Amino acid sequence: RGTPVASERTCGERGGLLGRASYSSPPPCIAFVVFYARGIHSSEYRETAVYKGVEAATSQCVQEEIKGMEGVYSIVITGWDWLVSLEMPGDQFPYKQSVMGFVVAVTLFESYLDVRQRRAIKKDSIPKELQGVISQESLKSTQAYCLDKWNYSMVVTAFNLAEELLVLQYNVMPWVWEWALVPLAMVGLTQEHEVARSIVFTVVYMMAQTVIKMPFSIYSTFWLEAKHKFNKQTPYIFVMDMLKSFGLTLVLVPIVLSILIPIINNGGKFLALWLWLFMFIMAIVMMTIYPVLIAPLFNKYEPLPDGPLRTKIEALAASLSFPLKKLFVVDGSTRSAHSNAYMYGFFKNKRIVLFDTLINQCKGHDEEIVAVLAHELGHWKLGHTMYNFAAMQFVSLVQFGLFTLVRNCSAMYKAFGYSGQPALISLMLFQQIIAPVDHVVGFLFNMLSRRYEYQADAFACKLKYASELKCGLIRLQEENKSSANIDPWYSTYHHTHPPLVERLKAIENRKEE
């Protein structure tokens, strides 16, 4: 959905502006691209005070970014030299045992961080930066919500670990792959029809996962979220959303696999390049059709009514030469009381979407919404989306290059219980094997993202929105019941955004400058 502004986070979920999200580098079989073209300053703004403020903010932050990226580039080059020097493991390499060991190790490490975070949540003291702003009653309410989510997440984590280990140990996926021949035989197809078999396998797997995870989803939606007065979703909407998602799966999976499987089987020595190109095009297509065809299936989008808020947002976009074409309000309140907003679009066709819950939470405080959007537009103006786009493409291309090294490794397939070397299965196995590298890359992206957040905050401050941004961030934090106390280790590992307290300190320093 583009750039989120704010959303809740439970352990293991993704979030938005308030920094409860965790970046995961693109898996080998999927690449999501968020691309926003950099704005072109029109001549009528070049001599204005607003333009000069924007120019100063952009120049300073870009210079800081160049200095900060030198170390990252050095790490990337060194890592690449190391990777290309590697040799493929022999036939006796314990592929499955290594994957299972890594899954257990990561789960234990993240559980340790979760325990540290629980201690932070239970602190009764309000951080100095929030004293007098957040009441003790609000802190208690937030603690109750965060602890309930923590308990829920630990149960989900334990279940997911047990499920993954059992599936690996007892070769469940190879059995499903073999079973996929049964419905094919009913219509006269054989194992030679690999695309059809891959479609059946994927659909069955996704259906099974939906059924297995449904009790957790029902509990989270209709008990946990409802208990804390966030859930607005009815059972009818819940079921309809699930059916719509399944329908989209039936439409999209055959299309994607009908192109992906032949590419893997016939890519030759340029396989990595063809895979990267296909995923790039697919991401662009999805980013184009999602807001027009898919999103309206789940929510109702209407133009933001004329009024002071719309006028202020359009004025901000114009002052930054942001090519805003449409400004929408989405009925997020039909499902949740959590607030959010996002931007999307290519080149000269940009759109901003505000959740009605965000507007209601900031009612009478339009400047806070504008300040939050100034932060988001700062990401666009400073080229953060362009940098992320390039970095993600580099990571995807490297991953596909590594994939070509194991594509025909028969020992890998045998280790996981497969008799042949199916194209789809090769991607799935590679995704499991590359997980250690993927975690490291994700951590580096988190570090980069946190740096970007400080720069976007500084950009909003340069536009004289420092006070409004502080108030907006605090309001969103409180309304969404996000913990005021965050463990530093937990935050560093999981979050794409710095803790609220750290951001408030940085904003205050900018004000003093």
Side-chain angles (χ1 to χ4, degrees):
R1 288 195 174 189
T3 305
V5 171
S7 66
E8 82 281 14
R9 178 192 185 276
T10 60
C11 297
E13 295 181 354
R14 311 298 182 208
L17 178 73
L18 299 184
R20 293 161 304 283
S22 174
Y23 172 82
S24 177
S25 58
C29 56
I30 293 292
F32 294 99
V33 179
V34 180
F35 176 77
Y36 301 115
R38 303 189 70 173
I40 300 176
H41 301 309
S42 55
S43 58
E44 59 264 34
Y45 293 111
R46 292 187 182 277
E47 299 304 321
T48 65
V50 172
Y51 176 84
K52 293 178 179 179
V54 171
E55 187 178 42
T58 305
S59 176
Q60 179 179 354
C61 292
V62 168
Q63 291 176 9
E64 293 176 358
E65 178 59 27
I66 292 174
K67 294 179 181 178
M69 286 297 292
E70 292 177 354
V72 176
Y73 292 152
S74 177
I75 294 175
V76 169
I77 297 301
T78 302
W80 174 255
D81 291 340
W82 175 75
L83 283 173
V84 298
S85 68
L86 292 178
E87 296 181 358
M88 286 301 301
D91 291 348
Q92 303 303 315
F93 184 79
Y95 289 97
K96 182 193 289 188
Q97 291 78 3
S98 297
V99 169
M100 294 175 69
F102 180 74
V103 168
V104 172
V106 169
T107 301
L108 291 176
F109 174 69
E110 292 184 349
S111 296
Y112 167 70
L113 295 180
D114 288 337
V115 171
R116 291 180 58 96
Q117 176 61 7
R118 179 184 174 85
R119 293 173 185 165
I121 292 173
K122 295 182 71 175
K123 290 181 179 179
D124 292 327
S125 59
I126 299 176
K128 182 178 64 174
E129 289 75 14
L130 298 176
Q131 290 177 3
V133 179
I134 295 180
S135 66
Q136 200 68 33
E137 180 182 359
S138 176
L139 178 65
K140 291 294 183 183
S141 177
T142 297
Q143 284 179 325
Y145 178 56
C146 291
L147 289 174
D148 279 347
K149 290 203 307 182
W150 188 94
N151 293 332
Y152 166 77
S153 71
M154 294 304 289
V155 174
V156 173
T157 297
F159 179 86
N160 289 341
L161 175 62
E163 179 193 20
E164 189 164 1
L165 293 180
L166 289 172
V167 167
L168 286 170
Q169 179 63 31
Y170 294 101
N171 295 334
V172 174
M173 299 305 286
W175 180 84
V176 176
W177 177 254
E178 294 300 325
W179 180 89
L181 289 173
V182 175
L184 293 183
M186 295 179 181
V187 294
L189 300 180
T190 66
Q191 61 181 359
E192 299 300 323
H193 298 85
E194 185 178 349
V195 173
R197 187 179 184 182
S198 298
I199 293 172
V200 172
F201 171 82
T202 303
V203 171
V204 170
Y205 171 74
M206 296 181 72
M207 287 180 61
Q209 284 296 303
T210 299
V211 172
I212 291 172
K213 301 299 173 62
M214 188 177 298
F216 295 102
S217 182
I218 292 174
Y219 174 86
S220 174
T221 301
F222 295 105
W223 189 87
L224 196 157
E225 293 293 311
K227 175 185 176 182
H228 296 277
K229 301 180 180 179
F230 280 120
N231 178 56
K232 305 298 179 182
Q233 195 169 185
T234 64
Y236 174 78
I237 294 178
F238 181 86
V239 172
M240 289 304 298
D241 282 354
M242 182 177 63
L243 293 177
K244 291 174 185 177
S245 298
F246 181 65
L248 288 171
T249 298
L250 293 179
V251 172
L252 296 177
V253 166
I255 296 175
V256 173
L257 293 184
S258 296
I259 303 173
L260 181 63
I261 302 302
I263 289 177
I264 296 176
N265 289 333
N266 303 292
K269 62 180 181 179
F270 296 110
L271 174 58
L273 184 59
W274 286 118
L275 282 174
W276 171 80
L277 182 61
F278 168 69
M279 293 302 176
F280 172 79
I281 294 174
M282 186 184 73
I284 296 297
V285 170
M286 289 302 297
M287 284 293 298
T288 301
I289 69 173
Y290 177 85
V292 178
L293 300 178
I294 298 178
L297 294 175
F298 298 90
N299 291 97
K300 184 178 181 181
Y301 292 79
E302 296 181 342
L304 180 66
D306 291 334
L309 178 59
R310 184 182 186 94
T311 301
K312 292 174 183 177
I313 294 175
E314 290 177 339
L316 172 65
S319 70
L320 300 176
S321 300
F322 180 76
L324 178 62
K325 294 300 181 183
K326 294 184 179 181
L327 186 53
F328 289 115
V329 177
V330 61
D331 61 341
S333 58
T334 59
R335 288 168 174 77
S336 174
H338 288 294
S339 55
N340 203 352
Y342 57 92
M343 303 184 304
Y344 65 93
F346 298 102
F347 305 111
K348 296 293 185 180
N349 187 30
K350 309 270 187 203
R351 305 179 184 187
I352 293 177
V353 177
L354 303 176
F355 276 49
D356 55 358
T357 48
L358 176 65
I359 296 175
N360 292 333
Q361 289 173 2
C362 297
K363 199 167 186 178
H365 302 277
D366 290 350
E367 290 295 333
E368 294 178 7
I369 297 179
V370 177
V372 168
L373 291 178
H375 165 99
E376 292 302 313
L377 291 174
H379 286 304
W380 167 78
K381 197 69 175 181
L382 297 173
H384 293 166
T385 48
M386 179 69 78
Y387 294 143
N388 277 337
F389 170 80
M392 290 175 67
Q393 294 311 301
F394 174 76
V395 169
S396 296
L397 186 58
V398 170
Q399 286 186 328
F400 287 130
L402 294 175
F403 167 69
T404 61
L405 299 179
V406 300
R407 169 67 178 98
N408 298 312
C409 180
S410 59
M412 179 184 69
Y413 298 91
K414 292 179 181 178
F416 286 94
Y418 295 95
S419 56
Q421 299 181 13
L424 179 63
I425 300 303
S426 65
L427 275 176
M428 293 178 59
L429 295 182
F430 176 71
Q431 186 171 359
Q432 292 178 314
I433 292 173
I434 201 68
V437 175
D438 199 44
H439 273 71
V440 173
V441 172
F443 178 73
L444 294 176
F445 268 91
N446 276 359
M447 293 176 61
L448 183 60
S449 176
R450 291 159 73 95
R451 183 179 182 84
Y452 285 164
E453 293 307 314
Y454 282 124
Q455 292 182 358
D457 285 346
F459 185 88
C461 291
K462 286 287 185 179
L463 297 180
K464 309 303 181 183
Y465 285 109
S467 298
E468 293 83 357
L469 181 60
K470 286 181 62 178
C471 293
L473 293 176
I474 292 172
R475 187 183 304 279
L476 292 175
Q477 177 100 354
E478 188 172 14
E479 292 288 347
N480 288 283
K481 294 187 177 181
S482 301
S483 179
N485 295 302
I486 305 291
D487 178 76
W489 288 23
Y490 181 89
S491 178
T492 300
Y493 179 80
H494 280 293
H495 294 170
T496 59
H497 293 54
L500 176 61
V501 170
E502 298 301 321
R503 294 179 68 180
L504 295 179
K505 289 180 181 177
I507 293 173
E508 191 61 34
N509 291 336
R510 289 286 180 178
K511 287 177 62 178
E512 294 176 357
E513 293 176 2

